[in-house]
């Protein structure tokens, strides 16, 4: 019989396990914690949309739309695209689901996104993002709120050191129009020296030349006029309000006058949190104000500002996660013991305490498993324990061992709500009715 060859993982995808998965999970858990602190609502949107949702919002001339989208025709003949980012889908939902009545809305989401690009460190064809948006708020305070959210997230993750917030203004419509004219005039003088991609951008999206990584373009882009000379008083006032708000919130920032967003619907604030700890992939979180996006999708004039961050890139910056889980591992010996172990395991878990059962191998191997998952204690149940009505508990941190009545543990399992795990020791100092002192995870007696 011919050997069946197992299909390989598709290039640019990943199977996340072990320490990598624990880092990944920590990013999402911390994101969830911080979004609650900032009163952002969680939403979930489809993984694929009508292709026009992204073509209109991201821009036909961008690399994402022209080269990187996973688009296909479904059986009904409709052009469908796997989402390459979240903002467009959220804005589409804002319009089609009637969420305008709830504006201003503070929203977050997370999940997989898809881009067909060359896989490299921290960049995949299926990757994951966390996303935060404020829709319907034209005030600079919305920008400050989002940036403070992002800054606190990085601090809560413990990765803020070495990450810099770069900030710029793209001005209002009048500002952008004037700056665009100045840029076109500048680049036209150097048309013969620009790369092929920049020549295309010069006709369609000249601001994107400032982002070019091509060595032929860099000297020309670096010499291009800044936006400051074209800022209206209103646009300058908006940017000043944002920077003052960040200072008041204790969010450190630095000005990067070359930071741009090429599409016309971007206005005012643009920002990136960057680091040199990821090599070439230095941006870990980025966003900006997109006051014209919802109009581009057929809706009324609606302000919006948001950011997105790659979960994989944030996870790469985290310290190796602790292997300790705490809690209890139960070791049953024999079928009768397994039945009692399941009862006790269920009671412990229903109190929100980590608990597992080591049911395979000899006692030594099972104790090794308990240590490998970082348990605080093990409970051993065998024939002798069943006959006596007592179980043996071993404190893995201190190496001490005790005999405890099974009925007492089951009846008194409510104390898990207070202690977080079970570790009961003879109380020789106080000599209570039960003869045990309940210890909290910190080791301090309750």
């Amino acid at each position: 019989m011919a050997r069946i060859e197992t299909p390989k993982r598709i290039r640019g995808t990943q199977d996340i396990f072990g320490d990598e998965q624990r880092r990944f999970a920590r990013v999402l858990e911390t994101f969830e914690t911080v979004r609650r602190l900032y009163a952002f609502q969680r939403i979930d949107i489809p993984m694929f949309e009508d292709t026009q949702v992204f073509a209109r919002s991201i821009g036909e001339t961008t690399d994402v739309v022209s080269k990187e989208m996973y688009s296909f025709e479904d059986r009904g003949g409709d052009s469908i695209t796997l989402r390459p980012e979240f903002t467009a889908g959220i804005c589409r939902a804002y319009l089609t689901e009637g969420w305008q009545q709830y504006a201003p809305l503070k929203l977050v989401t997370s999940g997989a996104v898809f881009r067909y690009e060359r896989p490299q460190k921290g960049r995949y064809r299926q990757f994951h993002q966390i996303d935060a948006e404020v829709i319907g708020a034209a005030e600079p305070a919305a920008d400050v709120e989002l940036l403070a959210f992002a800054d606190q997230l990085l601090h809560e993750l413990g990765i803020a050191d070495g990450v810099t917030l770069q900030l710029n203004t793209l001005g209002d419509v009048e500002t952008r129009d004037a700056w665009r004219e100045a840029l076109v005039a500048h680049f036209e003088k150097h048309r013969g020296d620009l790369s092929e991609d920049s020549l295309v951008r010069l006709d369609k999206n000249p601001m994107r030349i400032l982002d070019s990584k091509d060595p032929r373009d860099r000297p020309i882009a670096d010499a291009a006029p800044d936006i400051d000379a074209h800022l209206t008083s209103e646009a300058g006032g908006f940017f000043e309000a944002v920077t003052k708000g960040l200072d008041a919130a204790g969010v450190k920032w630095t000005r990067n006058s070359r930071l741009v967003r090429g599409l016309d619907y971007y206005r005012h604030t643009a920002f990136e949190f960057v680091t040199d700890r990821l090599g070439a992939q230095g941006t870990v979180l980025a966003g900006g104000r997109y006051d014209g996006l919802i109009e581009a999708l057929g809706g009324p004039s609606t302000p919006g500002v948001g950011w997105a961050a790659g979960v994989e890139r944030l996870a790469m910056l985290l310290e190796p996660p602790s292997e300790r889980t705490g809690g209890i591992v139960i070791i049953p010996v024999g079928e009768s013991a397994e039945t009692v172990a399941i009862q006790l395991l269920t009671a412990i878990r229903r109190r929100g305490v980590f608990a597992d059962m080591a049911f395979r191998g000899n006692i030594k191997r099972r104790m090794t498993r308990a240590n490998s998952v970082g348990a605080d204690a093990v409970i051993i149940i065998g024939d002798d324990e069943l006959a006596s009505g007592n179980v043996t508990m071993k404190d893995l941190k201190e190496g001490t061992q005790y005999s405890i009545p099974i009925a007492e543990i089951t009846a008194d399992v409510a104390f898990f709500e207070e202690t977080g795990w079970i570790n009961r020791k003879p109380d020789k100092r106080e000599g209570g009715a039960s003869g045990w002192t309940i210890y909290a995870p910190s080791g301090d007696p309750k």
Side-chain angles (χ1 to χ4, degrees), residues 367-410:
M367 289 293 292
T368 299
R369 169 172 169 73
N371 277 299
S372 70
V373 299
D376 290 317
V378 295
I379 294 176
I380 301 172
I381 307 174
D383 290 340
D384 291 344
E385 285 77 15
L386 291 175
S388 66
N390 297 314
V391 295
T392 301
M393 171 175 279
K394 184 171 184 179
D395 183 326
L396 296 181
K397 292 189 291 185
E398 298 184 7
T400 49
Q401 188 166 298
Y402 310 97
S403 179
I404 305 174
I406 296 175
E408 185 180 334
I409 294 178
T410 305

Side-chain angles (χ1 to χ4, degrees), residues 267-279:
R267 316 276 165 78
H268 295 297
T269 316
F271 55 88
E272 292 184 1
F273 287 81
V274 300
T275 181
D276 59 3
R277 291 165 58 191
L278 294 176

Side-chain angles (χ1 to χ4, degrees), residues 198-217:
S198 287
L199 286 174
V200 174
R201 291 169 178 168
L202 178 56
D203 295 329
K204 297 182 177 181
N205 208 337
M207 289 182 187
R208 293 198 59 224
I209 300 177
L210 298 175
D211 281 333
S212 175
K213 303 297 188 294
D214 194 301
R216 292 171 290 178
D217 299 327

Side-chain angles (χ1 to χ4, degrees), residues 122-139:
R123 176 172 288 179
Y124 303 91
R125 290 176 175 174
Q126 176 183 317
F127 58 105
H128 302 80
Q129 284 187 341
I130 52 177
D131 184 280
E133 314 282 345
V134 179
I135 301 178
E139 297 81 6

